[in-house]
Amino acid sequence: MFDPKLADAPLGHEVAYPQKYDASLLFPIARATNRHALPHMPDWIGADIWHGYEISWLNQKGKPMIAMARFIFPQSTPNLIESKSFKLYLNSFNEERYPGAPAVLDIMRRDLSRAAGAEIEIEFEPVNTRVECTPLEGENIDDADIEITAYRPAPELLRCVDQAQVVSETLTSDLLKSNCPVTGQPDWGSVQIRYTGPRIDREALLAYIVSLRQHDEFHEHCVEKMYCDIWQACKPVALCVYARYTRRGGLDINPWRSSEPVSVEQARTPRQ
């Protein structure tokens, strides 16, 4: 669902690169607009975990400082942040002087919490941190030799196997792709589906994941759609859908939604 308010967003428009700090660059988008279009509103938990790789500012002597950052937006925040506005905002710190990383962190936490409509978490990491890349944990289903005919969301493809027994398993796919609803640019990602319930037909699940290939939607909304479609079609007892998208403009996003408390992997996938 395209929100008419997005016509005012910086995404898809040529904008001047910020030369000074400017919190007004942030463009919040109400989650409710998309959630009203979901088949039902689940009682879920989760978060949108962003990683920033282009964080920089000047110290009091004018020397550039750099860091990596993790931004955690609970799914309960009224708003998400449009990605290009997020990038522009972060880069508005580049030529400003601050007494240290804690000062920058406090400003970012204040501004982003205000834009999101609730408190968010931010952590800075030094750029010399050793980072391990690993595929999402679980059994990858991408080798299934299936014919694909749907490239628009097709939840009717989802089903459980005949006389399905209740199982607990973790399935993954690297074939997730959707498109930005404003620019049409492709968004590439990997998805992990953890569930307890009647065994899901893996070929049907893969065909469903691929059916999002020409779908125009933000990352967070795609994860919520997948969660709701699987929940309705397969009736699991417990479900967690977690996607890790490749970065764009120095940011990657990793949304997850779950029916119960879980821990999610923080390691980058090889494509991130």
Side-chain angles (χ1 to χ4, degrees):
M1 175 183 293
F2 181 79
D3 186 343
K5 294 180 180 178
L6 288 176
D8 298 323
L11 192 63
H13 299 281
E14 185 174 343
V15 295
Y17 202 79
Q19 297 300 311
K20 61 181 181 178
Y21 160 74
D22 187 355
S24 71
L25 291 167
L26 291 169
F27 191 89
I29 299 172
R31 295 185 189 273
T33 302
N34 181 75
R35 288 175 174 173
H36 285 326
L38 295 174
H40 72 292
M41 189 59 212
D43 183 19
W44 55 25
I45 59 176
D48 307 325
I49 306 172
W50 295 80
H51 294 106
Y53 302 97
E54 300 176 3
I55 310 298
S56 185
W57 66 93
L58 305 178
N59 70 9
Q60 296 289 56
K61 294 182 177 180
K63 178 183 175 181
M65 310 300 291
I66 56 175
M68 297 186 298
R70 177 181 293 118
F71 306 89
I72 302 175
F73 293 77
Q75 64 80 25
S76 56
T77 59
N79 305 317
L80 57 86
I81 306 298
E82 185 272 310
S83 61
K84 186 173 181 179
S85 78
F86 199 171
K87 172 190 174 182
L88 291 170
Y89 166 75
L90 293 176
N91 281 281
S92 77
F93 287 82
N94 289 353
E95 311 305 327
E96 298 280 7
R97 299 189 182 207
Y98 297 96
V104 177
L105 196 94
D106 286 345
I107 295 170
M108 289 184 177
R109 184 182 294 110
R110 179 199 66 198
D111 293 342
L112 290 165
S113 295
R114 185 175 297 161
E119 287 296 314
I120 72 157
E121 300 177 38
I122 307 177
E123 305 167 358
F124 274 2
E125 296 180 350
V127 296
N128 60 357
T129 300
R130 183 180 294 274
V131 177
E132 179 182 354
C133 291
T134 180
L136 281 170
E137 184 178 298
E139 189 170 352
N140 191 282
I141 61 176
D142 293 345
D143 286 340
D145 185 16
I146 60 175
E147 182 176 355
I148 300 293
T149 58
Y151 300 101
R152 298 284 183 183
E156 66 275 10
L157 293 171
L158 289 163
R159 62 178 180 269
C160 295
V161 301
D162 292 337
Q163 299 179 333
Q165 300 295 312
V166 172
V167 299
S168 294
E169 63 179 357
T170 301
L171 307 176
T172 68
S173 173
D174 297 310
L175 302 187
L176 178 62
K177 173 192 172 289
S178 54
N179 300 317
C180 171
V182 180
T183 66
Q185 292 183 334
D187 294 322
W188 305 96
S190 300
V191 61
Q192 178 190 72
I193 295 159
R194 286 186 270 178
Y195 76 96
T196 296
R199 186 181 296 277
I200 295 175
D201 185 306
R202 297 183 179 188
E203 293 186 355
L205 177 61
L206 182 60
Y208 166 73
I209 292 169
V210 175
S211 78
L212 273 67
R213 191 171 181 84
Q214 295 177 9
H215 182 52
D216 300 329
E217 198 65 274
F218 290 124
H219 310 76
E220 302 94 327
H221 297 163
C222 284
V223 168
E224 295 187 349
K225 177 173 179 55
M226 285 188 283
Y227 181 102
C228 289
D229 287 344
I230 294 170
W231 187 268
Q232 280 213 316
C234 301
K235 305 295 190 295
V237 176
L239 175 65
C240 178
V241 177
Y242 176 37
R244 295 193 66 99
Y245 284 89
T246 59
R247 76 181 72 170
R248 182 186 294 167
L251 288 168
D252 70 35
I253 182 172
N254 310 276
W256 65 276
R257 301 291 183 268
S258 178
S259 60
E260 57 189 29
V262 295
S263 60
V264 296
E265 301 168 67
Q266 294 297 318
R268 297 183 206 166
T269 66
R271 290 196 295 168
Q272 290 183 306

